[in-house]
Amino acid sequence: MSRAMAASRRVSVFVAALVCCSLVRLSLCGGGGGGQRAQNYTSMFSFGDSLTDTGNLVVSSPLSFSIVGKYPYGMTYFHRPTGRCSDGRLVVDFLAQAFGLPLLQPYLSRGEDVTRGVNFAVGGATAMDPPFFEEIGASDKLWTNLSLSVQLGWFEQLKPSLCSSPKDCKEFFSKSLFLVGEIGGNDYNYAFFKGKSLDDAKSYVPTVAGAVADATERLIKAGAVHLVVPGNLPIGCSSAYLTLHPSSNRSDYDSTGCLKTYNDFAQHHNAVLQDKLRLLRRSYPEARIMYADYYGAAMSFAQNPKQFGFRHGALRTCCGGGGPYNFNPKASCGVRGSSVCTDPSAYANWDGVHLTEAGYHAIANSILNGPYTSPRLL
Protein backbone atom coordinates (compact mmCIF):
# COMPACT_ATOMS: atom_id res chain seq x y z
CA MET A 1 0.00 0.00 0.00
CA SER A 2 1.39 3.44 -0.91
CA ARG A 3 2.01 6.10 1.72
CA ALA A 4 -0.75 8.24 0.19
CA MET A 5 -3.29 5.42 0.40
CA ALA A 6 -2.31 4.58 3.96
CA ALA A 7 -2.70 8.20 4.94
CA SER A 8 -6.09 8.25 3.23
CA ARG A 9 -7.34 5.39 5.41
CA ARG A 10 -6.07 7.01 8.59
CA VAL A 11 -7.86 10.20 7.69
CA SER A 12 -11.29 8.56 7.84
CA VAL A 13 -11.28 8.40 11.64
CA PHE A 14 -11.08 12.12 12.09
CA VAL A 15 -12.76 13.45 8.95
CA ALA A 16 -15.51 15.10 11.02
CA ALA A 17 -12.86 17.42 12.41
CA LEU A 18 -10.93 17.86 9.19
CA VAL A 19 -14.03 18.75 7.22
CA CYS A 20 -14.06 22.16 8.86
CA CYS A 21 -10.85 23.03 7.11
CA SER A 22 -9.64 24.18 3.80
CA LEU A 23 -6.27 23.05 2.46
CA VAL A 24 -5.25 21.70 5.85
CA ARG A 25 -3.71 24.87 7.01
CA LEU A 26 -1.50 26.33 9.65
CA SER A 27 -1.25 30.00 10.26
CA LEU A 28 0.38 31.58 13.19
CA CYS A 29 0.52 34.77 15.17
CA GLY A 30 -1.08 36.75 17.94
CA GLY A 31 -2.26 40.15 19.01
CA GLY A 32 -5.21 42.22 19.97
CA GLY A 33 -8.09 43.42 17.86
CA GLY A 34 -9.02 45.89 15.22
CA GLY A 35 -7.15 48.01 12.76
CA GLN A 36 -7.18 51.48 11.33
CA ARG A 37 -10.33 52.43 9.49
CA ALA A 38 -9.60 54.03 6.12
CA GLN A 39 -12.69 52.73 4.33
CA ASN A 40 -16.22 53.23 5.61
CA TYR A 41 -17.78 49.87 4.82
CA THR A 42 -21.40 49.68 5.91
CA SER A 43 -21.84 45.94 5.32
CA MET A 44 -19.82 42.79 4.73
CA PHE A 45 -20.54 39.49 3.00
CA SER A 46 -18.34 36.41 3.16
CA PHE A 47 -18.05 33.10 1.35
CA GLY A 48 -15.81 30.09 1.85
CA ASP A 49 -15.21 27.17 4.19
CA SER A 50 -14.30 26.74 7.85
CA LEU A 51 -11.77 29.57 7.86
CA THR A 52 -14.83 31.80 7.57
CA ASP A 53 -17.87 29.74 8.65
CA THR A 54 -19.55 31.16 11.75
CA GLY A 55 -22.18 28.47 12.13
CA ASN A 56 -23.66 27.32 8.81
CA LEU A 57 -22.08 23.86 8.99
CA VAL A 58 -23.57 22.92 12.34
CA VAL A 59 -26.97 24.27 11.27
CA SER A 60 -26.92 22.29 8.03
CA SER A 61 -25.58 19.06 9.59
CA PRO A 62 -25.93 19.29 13.37
CA LEU A 63 -25.54 15.57 14.02
CA SER A 64 -22.61 14.87 11.72
CA PHE A 65 -20.53 17.73 13.04
CA SER A 66 -21.41 17.77 16.70
CA ILE A 67 -17.74 18.02 17.74
CA VAL A 68 -17.48 21.60 16.49
CA GLY A 69 -20.66 22.41 18.36
CA LYS A 70 -19.21 21.32 21.70
CA TYR A 71 -16.53 22.40 24.17
CA PRO A 72 -13.64 23.21 23.88
CA TYR A 73 -14.57 24.90 20.60
CA GLY A 74 -15.47 28.52 21.33
CA MET A 75 -13.84 28.51 24.78
CA THR A 76 -11.84 31.75 24.46
CA TYR A 77 -13.92 34.71 23.25
CA PHE A 78 -17.49 33.47 23.19
CA HIS A 79 -17.09 31.04 26.11
CA ARG A 80 -19.41 28.67 24.27
CA PRO A 81 -19.42 26.79 20.96
CA THR A 82 -20.71 28.89 18.05
CA GLY A 83 -20.00 26.62 15.11
CA ARG A 84 -16.63 28.27 14.49
CA CYS A 85 -13.77 25.82 14.02
CA SER A 86 -11.54 27.47 16.61
CA ASP A 87 -11.36 28.44 20.25
CA GLY A 88 -12.64 31.93 19.39
CA ARG A 89 -12.94 34.46 16.59
CA LEU A 90 -11.98 34.00 12.95
CA VAL A 91 -10.44 36.35 10.39
CA VAL A 92 -13.88 37.44 9.24
CA ASP A 93 -14.81 38.39 12.80
CA PHE A 94 -11.74 40.58 13.22
CA LEU A 95 -12.32 42.28 9.88
CA ALA A 96 -15.91 43.05 10.81
CA GLN A 97 -14.85 44.49 14.15
CA ALA A 98 -12.10 46.54 12.53
CA PHE A 99 -14.67 48.25 10.33
CA GLY A 100 -17.18 48.76 13.11
CA LEU A 101 -19.57 46.11 11.83
CA PRO A 102 -21.37 43.43 13.84
CA LEU A 103 -20.10 39.86 13.71
CA LEU A 104 -21.63 38.30 10.63
CA GLN A 105 -24.64 36.09 11.21
CA PRO A 106 -24.66 32.69 9.45
CA TYR A 107 -26.99 32.68 6.48
CA LEU A 108 -28.82 29.55 7.64
CA SER A 109 -29.69 31.09 11.02
CA ARG A 110 -29.95 34.74 10.01
CA GLY A 111 -32.27 37.25 11.60
CA GLU A 112 -34.61 39.68 9.90
CA ASP A 113 -32.06 42.48 9.49
CA VAL A 114 -29.40 41.43 6.99
CA THR A 115 -28.36 44.87 5.80
CA ARG A 116 -25.15 44.92 7.83
CA GLY A 117 -23.91 41.65 6.43
CA VAL A 118 -24.29 37.87 6.24
CA ASN A 119 -21.86 34.94 6.24
CA PHE A 120 -22.49 32.32 3.55
CA ALA A 121 -19.38 30.20 4.25
CA VAL A 122 -19.78 26.53 5.18
CA GLY A 123 -17.16 24.34 6.83
CA GLY A 124 -16.01 21.62 4.44
CA ALA A 125 -17.22 23.55 1.39
CA THR A 126 -15.45 23.33 -1.95
CA ALA A 127 -14.88 25.64 -4.89
CA MET A 128 -16.03 22.90 -7.25
CA ASP A 129 -19.47 21.28 -7.42
CA PRO A 130 -20.09 17.56 -6.71
CA PRO A 131 -19.75 16.38 -10.35
CA PHE A 132 -16.06 17.34 -10.24
CA PHE A 133 -15.47 14.92 -7.37
CA GLU A 134 -17.45 12.20 -9.09
CA GLU A 135 -15.14 12.61 -12.08
CA ILE A 136 -11.96 12.23 -10.01
CA GLY A 137 -13.44 9.40 -7.92
CA ALA A 138 -13.58 11.31 -4.63
CA SER A 139 -17.29 11.99 -4.24
CA ASP A 140 -17.48 9.63 -1.26
CA LYS A 141 -15.18 11.97 0.69
CA LEU A 142 -17.51 14.98 0.43
CA TRP A 143 -19.12 16.02 3.69
CA THR A 144 -21.26 18.82 2.29
CA ASN A 145 -22.71 19.75 -1.06
CA LEU A 146 -22.92 23.41 -0.06
CA SER A 147 -20.21 24.47 -2.47
CA LEU A 148 -19.21 27.97 -3.50
CA SER A 149 -21.83 28.07 -6.25
CA VAL A 150 -24.54 27.20 -3.71
CA GLN A 151 -23.33 30.02 -1.47
CA LEU A 152 -23.48 32.44 -4.41
CA GLY A 153 -27.03 31.28 -5.03
CA TRP A 154 -27.90 32.11 -1.42
CA PHE A 155 -26.49 35.59 -1.93
CA GLU A 156 -28.60 36.13 -5.03
CA GLN A 157 -31.70 34.96 -3.14
CA LEU A 158 -30.91 37.42 -0.37
CA LYS A 159 -30.19 40.35 -2.68
CA PRO A 160 -33.82 41.61 -2.88
CA SER A 161 -33.70 42.04 0.91
CA LEU A 162 -30.69 44.33 0.53
CA CYS A 163 -31.70 46.62 -2.34
CA SER A 164 -34.72 47.08 -4.57
CA SER A 165 -33.44 48.60 -7.83
CA PRO A 166 -30.23 48.68 -9.88
CA LYS A 167 -29.55 52.19 -8.62
CA ASP A 168 -30.13 51.20 -4.99
CA CYS A 169 -27.96 48.09 -5.38
CA LYS A 170 -25.12 50.09 -6.92
CA GLU A 171 -25.18 52.49 -3.99
CA PHE A 172 -25.52 49.74 -1.39
CA PHE A 173 -22.71 47.52 -2.69
CA SER A 174 -20.35 50.44 -3.27
CA LYS A 175 -19.97 50.50 0.52
CA SER A 176 -19.87 46.71 1.05
CA LEU A 177 -16.84 44.48 1.54
CA PHE A 178 -16.86 40.97 0.07
CA LEU A 179 -14.57 38.24 1.41
CA VAL A 180 -14.34 35.50 -1.23
CA GLY A 181 -12.69 32.66 0.64
CA GLU A 182 -10.42 31.19 1.59
CA ILE A 183 -11.97 28.51 -0.62
CA GLY A 184 -10.55 25.70 -2.75
CA GLY A 185 -8.40 23.96 -0.17
CA ASN A 186 -10.97 21.28 0.55
CA ASP A 187 -11.04 20.41 -3.14
CA TYR A 188 -7.45 19.27 -2.73
CA ASN A 189 -8.03 17.76 0.70
CA TYR A 190 -10.72 15.43 -0.59
CA ALA A 191 -8.42 14.39 -3.43
CA PHE A 192 -5.58 13.68 -1.00
CA PHE A 193 -7.96 11.80 1.32
CA LYS A 194 -8.74 9.57 -1.65
CA GLY A 195 -5.07 8.84 -2.15
CA LYS A 196 -4.44 11.15 -5.09
CA SER A 197 -0.84 12.23 -5.63
CA LEU A 198 0.55 15.75 -5.60
CA ASP A 199 0.84 15.56 -9.38
CA ASP A 200 -2.84 14.60 -9.60
CA ALA A 201 -3.79 17.53 -7.39
CA LYS A 202 -1.62 19.90 -9.39
CA SER A 203 -3.61 19.04 -12.50
CA TYR A 204 -6.76 20.26 -10.73
CA VAL A 205 -5.33 23.68 -9.86
CA PRO A 206 -6.39 25.60 -13.00
CA THR A 207 -9.96 24.36 -12.57
CA VAL A 208 -10.16 25.04 -8.82
CA ALA A 209 -8.51 28.47 -9.03
CA GLY A 210 -10.72 29.22 -12.01
CA ALA A 211 -13.83 28.51 -9.95
CA VAL A 212 -12.70 31.03 -7.33
CA ALA A 213 -12.05 33.64 -10.03
CA ASP A 214 -15.41 32.89 -11.65
CA ALA A 215 -17.15 33.42 -8.32
CA THR A 216 -15.36 36.74 -7.92
CA GLU A 217 -16.51 37.80 -11.38
CA ARG A 218 -20.07 36.72 -10.63
CA LEU A 219 -20.10 38.93 -7.55
CA ILE A 220 -18.73 41.87 -9.53
CA LYS A 221 -21.52 41.45 -12.07
CA ALA A 222 -23.98 41.42 -9.15
CA GLY A 223 -22.64 44.79 -8.00
CA ALA A 224 -19.67 44.06 -5.74
CA VAL A 225 -16.89 46.67 -5.86
CA HIS A 226 -14.56 45.85 -2.95
CA LEU A 227 -13.46 42.19 -2.89
CA VAL A 228 -10.79 40.40 -0.86
CA VAL A 229 -9.74 37.05 -2.34
CA PRO A 230 -7.35 35.05 -0.09
CA GLY A 231 -4.90 32.46 -1.30
CA ASN A 232 -4.25 29.14 0.41
CA LEU A 233 -2.08 28.71 3.49
CA PRO A 234 1.01 26.47 3.51
CA ILE A 235 -0.18 22.89 3.63
CA GLY A 236 3.34 21.74 4.37
CA CYS A 237 3.19 23.47 7.76
CA SER A 238 -0.05 21.79 8.78
CA SER A 239 0.43 19.52 11.77
CA ALA A 240 -2.18 17.20 10.31
CA TYR A 241 -0.24 16.75 7.11
CA LEU A 242 3.05 16.62 8.98
CA THR A 243 1.60 13.73 10.97
CA LEU A 244 -0.03 11.90 8.07
CA HIS A 245 2.78 12.38 5.56
CA PRO A 246 6.02 12.04 7.54
CA SER A 247 9.35 11.64 5.79
CA SER A 248 12.56 10.05 6.99
CA ASN A 249 14.52 12.30 4.65
CA ARG A 250 15.44 15.54 6.43
CA SER A 251 15.87 17.30 3.09
CA ASP A 252 12.11 17.00 2.59
CA TYR A 253 11.63 19.62 5.34
CA ASP A 254 12.55 23.28 5.26
CA SER A 255 14.25 25.16 8.12
CA THR A 256 10.91 25.72 9.85
CA GLY A 257 10.07 22.00 9.86
CA CYS A 258 7.46 22.26 7.08
CA LEU A 259 7.18 19.82 4.19
CA LYS A 260 8.63 21.47 1.08
CA THR A 261 6.61 19.65 -1.59
CA TYR A 262 3.24 20.48 -0.04
CA ASN A 263 4.21 24.11 0.43
CA ASP A 264 5.32 24.23 -3.20
CA PHE A 265 1.89 22.93 -4.12
CA ALA A 266 0.14 25.67 -2.14
CA GLN A 267 2.33 28.31 -3.79
CA HIS A 268 1.44 26.92 -7.20
CA HIS A 269 -2.27 27.25 -6.47
CA ASN A 270 -1.76 30.81 -5.27
CA ALA A 271 0.26 31.79 -8.34
CA VAL A 272 -2.46 30.49 -10.68
CA LEU A 273 -5.15 32.27 -8.67
CA GLN A 274 -3.25 35.55 -8.80
CA ASP A 275 -2.88 35.26 -12.57
CA LYS A 276 -6.62 34.86 -12.90
CA LEU A 277 -7.28 37.83 -10.62
CA ARG A 278 -4.96 40.00 -12.71
CA LEU A 279 -7.08 39.20 -15.75
CA LEU A 280 -10.22 40.15 -13.83
CA ARG A 281 -8.73 43.52 -12.87
CA ARG A 282 -8.17 44.28 -16.55
CA SER A 283 -11.74 43.32 -17.41
CA TYR A 284 -13.28 45.18 -14.47
CA PRO A 285 -11.12 48.25 -13.72
CA GLU A 286 -13.90 49.77 -11.63
CA ALA A 287 -13.71 46.88 -9.14
CA ARG A 288 -11.17 46.78 -6.31
CA ILE A 289 -9.96 43.17 -6.30
CA MET A 290 -7.52 42.56 -3.45
CA TYR A 291 -5.47 39.39 -3.20
CA ALA A 292 -4.75 38.38 0.40
CA ASP A 293 -1.45 36.54 0.73
CA TYR A 294 -2.26 34.11 3.52
CA TYR A 295 0.72 32.00 2.53
CA GLY A 296 3.26 34.78 3.00
CA ALA A 297 1.75 35.84 6.30
CA ALA A 298 1.74 32.26 7.58
CA MET A 299 5.34 31.62 6.64
CA SER A 300 6.53 34.71 8.46
CA PHE A 301 4.83 33.37 11.61
CA ALA A 302 6.17 29.88 11.04
CA GLN A 303 9.71 31.20 10.82
CA ASN A 304 9.45 33.46 13.88
CA PRO A 305 6.67 32.06 16.12
CA LYS A 306 7.96 33.48 19.41
CA GLN A 307 8.04 36.98 17.97
CA PHE A 308 4.28 36.63 17.59
CA GLY A 309 3.71 35.26 21.07
CA PHE A 310 3.60 31.57 20.21
CA ARG A 311 5.76 30.15 22.96
CA HIS A 312 5.07 26.56 21.89
CA GLY A 313 6.31 27.05 18.36
CA ALA A 314 4.54 26.98 15.05
CA LEU A 315 3.59 23.37 14.50
CA ARG A 316 2.19 21.97 17.76
CA THR A 317 -1.55 22.08 18.41
CA CYS A 318 -3.33 23.41 21.49
CA CYS A 319 -6.08 20.78 21.38
CA GLY A 320 -5.16 17.25 20.40
CA GLY A 321 -4.41 13.69 21.36
CA GLY A 322 -0.62 13.47 21.50
CA GLY A 323 2.17 12.76 19.08
CA PRO A 324 5.07 14.94 17.88
CA TYR A 325 2.68 17.74 16.91
CA ASN A 326 -0.05 16.88 19.45
CA PHE A 327 -2.17 15.71 16.55
CA ASN A 328 -3.64 12.24 16.68
CA PRO A 329 -6.20 11.21 14.03
CA LYS A 330 -7.67 8.71 16.51
CA ALA A 331 -8.10 11.33 19.24
CA SER A 332 -8.81 14.63 17.52
CA CYS A 333 -9.81 17.73 19.45
CA GLY A 334 -13.05 17.33 21.35
CA VAL A 335 -13.17 13.54 21.42
CA ARG A 336 -12.13 11.06 24.08
CA GLY A 337 -8.39 10.81 24.45
CA SER A 338 -7.69 14.44 23.57
CA SER A 339 -6.94 17.36 25.86
CA VAL A 340 -6.86 21.13 25.51
CA CYS A 341 -4.12 23.56 26.52
CA THR A 342 -4.71 26.16 29.23
CA ASP A 343 -3.59 29.14 27.12
CA PRO A 344 -4.64 28.93 23.45
CA SER A 345 -3.07 32.35 22.77
CA ALA A 346 0.37 30.75 23.18
CA TYR A 347 -0.38 28.47 20.22
CA ALA A 348 -0.98 29.28 16.58
CA ASN A 349 -2.58 25.92 15.84
CA TRP A 350 -5.85 24.99 17.49
CA ASP A 351 -6.71 21.40 16.51
CA GLY A 352 -4.15 20.39 13.92
CA VAL A 353 -6.32 21.67 11.10
CA HIS A 354 -7.55 25.08 12.25
CA LEU A 355 -6.00 28.05 13.99
CA THR A 356 -6.47 29.51 17.42
CA GLU A 357 -8.16 32.87 17.77
CA ALA A 358 -4.66 34.36 18.15
CA GLY A 359 -3.61 32.80 14.87
CA TYR A 360 -6.66 34.04 13.02
CA HIS A 361 -6.19 37.49 14.48
CA ALA A 362 -2.63 37.57 13.20
CA ILE A 363 -3.89 36.84 9.69
CA ALA A 364 -6.44 39.64 10.04
CA ASN A 365 -3.72 42.04 11.18
CA SER A 366 -1.64 41.07 8.16
CA ILE A 367 -4.56 41.86 5.87
CA LEU A 368 -5.39 45.14 7.56
CA ASN A 369 -2.00 46.55 8.45
CA GLY A 370 0.70 44.43 6.86
CA PRO A 371 2.12 43.96 3.39
CA TYR A 372 0.06 40.86 2.67
CA THR A 373 -2.84 42.33 0.67
CA SER A 374 -2.39 43.57 -2.88
CA PRO A 375 -3.63 46.20 -3.44
CA ARG A 376 -3.75 47.24 0.20
CA LEU A 377 -7.06 46.91 2.03
CA LEU A 378 -6.49 50.09 4.05
Side-chain angles (χ1 to χ4, degrees), residues 3 13 41 161 223 351-352 354:
R3 180 189 300 170
V13 272
Y41 297 115
S161 300
D351 59 8
H354 308 99

Side-chain angles (χ1 to χ4, degrees), residues 13-222:
V13 272
F14 66 98
V15 70
L18 279 180
V19 73
C20 293
C21 80
S22 161
L23 189 62
V24 184
R25 64 271 282 158
L26 173 73
S27 171
L28 336 154
C29 92
Q36 297 177 353
R37 294 181 63 187
Q39 175 71 38
N40 183 28
Y41 297 115
T42 57
S43 60
M44 183 174 173
F45 301 91
S46 58
F47 306 80
D49 54 32
S50 62
L51 279 187
T52 308
D53 184 9
T54 56
N56 284 314
L57 177 65
V58 295
V59 173
S60 64
S61 304
L63 296 179
S64 298
F65 303 101
S66 58
I67 291 176
V68 179
K70 294 180 180 179
Y71 183 87
Y73 287 86
M75 63 180 282
T76 296
Y77 181 78
F78 302 99
H79 306 295
R80 60 179 177 82
T82 64
R84 290 167 173 81
C85 293
S86 181
D87 63 304
R89 289 165 290 182
L90 313 178
V91 170
V92 66
D93 296 314
F94 288 111
L95 293 182
Q97 290 178 328
F99 293 111
L101 297 170
L103 300 184
L104 300 190
Q105 54 188 320
Y107 174 76
L108 294 179
S109 58
R110 66 193 181 280
E112 293 184 4
D113 184 4
V114 295
T115 57
R116 298 281 275 168
V118 170
N119 190 344
F120 301 97
V122 182
T126 55
M128 301 302 298
D129 291 325
F132 170 82
F133 299 97
E134 294 174 5
E135 183 177 340
I136 68 171
S139 60
D140 60 314
K141 299 301 180 182
L142 287 176
W143 278 76
T144 180
N145 290 328
L146 302 178
S147 63
L148 184 55
S149 66
V150 173
Q151 297 173 31
L152 292 171
W154 289 346
F155 169 71
E156 291 171 353
Q157 293 172 21
L158 189 72
K159 192 175 176 181
S161 300
L162 303 172
C163 51
S164 57
S165 69
K167 181 179 179 181
D168 289 343
C169 289
K170 182 177 181 180
E171 173 65 20
F172 182 86
F173 292 126
S174 69
K175 298 179 181 179
S176 301
L177 179 65
F178 289 77
L179 181 61
V180 191
E182 190 275 339
I183 186 73
N186 282 325
D187 299 68
Y188 307 126
N189 278 339
Y190 293 134
F192 289 133
F193 295 170
K194 193 63 177 179
K196 300 294 183 178
S197 68
L198 277 164
D199 286 339
D200 290 331
K202 191 173 182 179
S203 71
Y204 310 146
V205 169
T207 304
V208 174
V212 179
D214 289 345
T216 304
E217 182 176 27
R218 185 170 164 183
L219 288 168
I220 293 170
K221 289 181 176 180

Side-chain angles (χ1 to χ4, degrees), residues 93 111 174 203 254 276 303 323 337 340:
D93 296 314
S174 69
S203 71
D254 63 18
K276 293 182 181 298
Q303 293 163 357
V340 62

Side-chain angles (χ1 to χ4, degrees), residues 324-344:
Y325 307 100
N326 195 32
F327 179 82
N328 182 348
K330 296 181 179 180
S332 58
C333 181
V335 304
R336 181 177 297 179
S338 68
S339 60
V340 62
C341 67
T342 57
D343 183 11

Side-chain angles (χ1 to χ4, degrees), residues 14 18 24-26 73 237-241 315-320 325-327 333 349-355:
F14 66 98
L18 279 180
V24 184
R25 64 271 282 158
L26 173 73
Y73 287 86
C237 296
S238 161
S239 59
Y241 268 35
L315 308 180
R316 189 171 176 81
T317 72
C318 166
C319 185
Y325 307 100
N326 195 32
F327 179 82
C333 181
N349 197 309
W350 167 242
D351 59 8
V353 178
H354 308 99
L355 311 182

